[in-house]
Amino acid sequence: MTTFTTTFRHTTQSDNNQMTTISSPVYWLRGGWNDLIAAPMISLLVGGSFTLLCAVAYAAIAAQPVLTTTVLALLLLISPFIAATAYFIAQQHEQKRVPSLHDALVDVHRRALSIGLFSILCTLILGAWVRVSSIAFALYYGTLGEGAAYLARTWTAGFDFPAMLVFLMLTGMVLALTLFAIGAIALPMIADQNSNVVTAVRRGFDTLRNNAATMMVWIVLLAAAIATALLSGLVLMPVVFPLLAYATWHSYRQLAG
């Protein structure tokens, strides 16, 4: 066991010495694709789980727009556990092990507390965003006290609230960037090292700051892939989700692993 650990650490150090450039995200995606091909059925199960979660969330929001915040909060609470499962699958492939969903789930269980705290942090950030948006909506339309309900209607009413829709899109982009800054490195680091949330988040922000150009390219590629999966009516999500999760693991390994 000692010999294996020593060899693995040596390989990790070698990988980390590779220079990071703006083209690095392409190599991360290539590595993610290789992981996907190495474990296609497991990857589809992981991706299918996330897709089902998204489909249920969309159906719930469409049926009861007022539940938007609650549904999104549940999505943020659960999805990190699914992503962490994918990270462990990528780690197994990296270690030349036969990918095993059972082993990955066992590893997720061992990290459940740290992953759960990370999920709660993301949910609190979402809650803060919703609160600020609700207040802005209420003040703009003079509906203080009904802001949350009206805010929910904005997402499903098209351009009935054009000014507020633009506001929500812009603030939503800020929310997405914040969650990316927190999760791109922090969640894989928690999965890999069982780091505490504060240390992992700090490392994530440091990595983002030190590799700003590369990470901006990575954000664009992630957004394009996610948009494609959403525009396909979630048909492509079972493939896109594990591919991006695996690629995120490779980005972590090169930048901070």
Side-chain angles (χ1 to χ4, degrees):
M1 183 66 180
T2 303
T3 302
F4 174 77
T5 302
T6 303
T7 302
F8 176 63
R9 291 299 179 188
H10 175 74
T11 302
T12 299
Q13 184 64 37
S14 176
D15 291 343
N16 289 342
N17 287 335
Q18 295 179 0
M19 182 179 295
T20 302
T21 67
I22 59 174
S23 63
S24 292
V26 175
Y27 294 96
W28 300 339
L29 287 171
R30 183 181 299 174
W33 179 255
N34 290 336
D35 293 333
L36 183 65
I37 296 300
M41 294 308 298
I42 294 176
S43 300
L44 288 176
L45 283 173
V46 173
S49 298
F50 181 75
T51 303
L52 179 61
L53 183 64
C54 290
V56 171
Y58 179 80
I61 292 173
Q64 294 291 336
V66 73
L67 297 178
T68 299
T69 302
T70 302
V71 172
L72 291 179
L74 290 175
L75 189 64
L76 281 178
L77 282 173
I78 299 172
S79 56
F81 289 90
I82 303 177
T85 302
Y87 299 153
F88 285 119
I89 297 297
Q91 184 185 60
Q92 292 170 8
H93 188 216
E94 180 183 85
Q95 297 174 353
K96 309 302 181 184
R97 296 160 53 192
V98 177
S100 167
L101 181 59
H102 175 269
D103 290 349
L105 291 175
V106 169
D107 287 331
V108 169
H109 181 263
R110 290 171 178 167
R111 304 285 197 265
L113 178 59
S114 297
I115 297 172
L117 290 174
F118 173 84
S119 300
I120 292 172
L121 174 62
C122 292
T123 304
L124 290 175
I125 292 173
L126 171 66
W129 173 78
V130 170
R131 178 56 57 189
V132 170
S133 299
S134 297
I135 292 174
F137 188 96
L139 293 176
Y140 186 86
Y141 286 100
T143 57
L144 196 61
E146 297 183 293
Y150 278 28
L151 180 66
R153 286 178 52 200
T154 303
W155 290 109
T156 57
F159 287 93
D160 289 352
F161 304 96
M164 202 60 204
L165 188 60
V166 172
F167 172 79
L168 288 176
M169 291 176 64
L170 292 176
T171 57
M173 290 175 60
V174 174
L175 171 67
L177 287 173
T178 302
L179 293 177
F180 172 83
I182 290 175
I185 299 298
L187 185 56
M189 185 175 178
I190 290 171
D192 183 33
Q193 304 177 23
N194 200 22
S195 301
N196 65 76
V197 175
V198 174
T199 299
V201 169
R202 184 187 301 119
R203 185 70 177 275
F205 277 113
D206 289 342
T207 302
L208 182 63
R209 183 179 63 253
N210 296 333
N211 302 274
T214 300
M215 297 308 279
M216 287 305 299
V217 173
W218 185 217
I219 290 173
V220 171
L221 291 177
L222 286 174
I226 293 172
T228 300
L230 293 176
L231 289 175
S232 72
L234 299 180
V235 172
L236 297 178
M237 189 63 79
V239 174
V240 171
F241 178 80
L243 172 63
L244 297 183
Y246 296 152
T248 298
W249 171 260
H250 286 283
S251 70
Y252 155 74
R253 297 300 282 162
Q254 182 174 355
L255 295 173

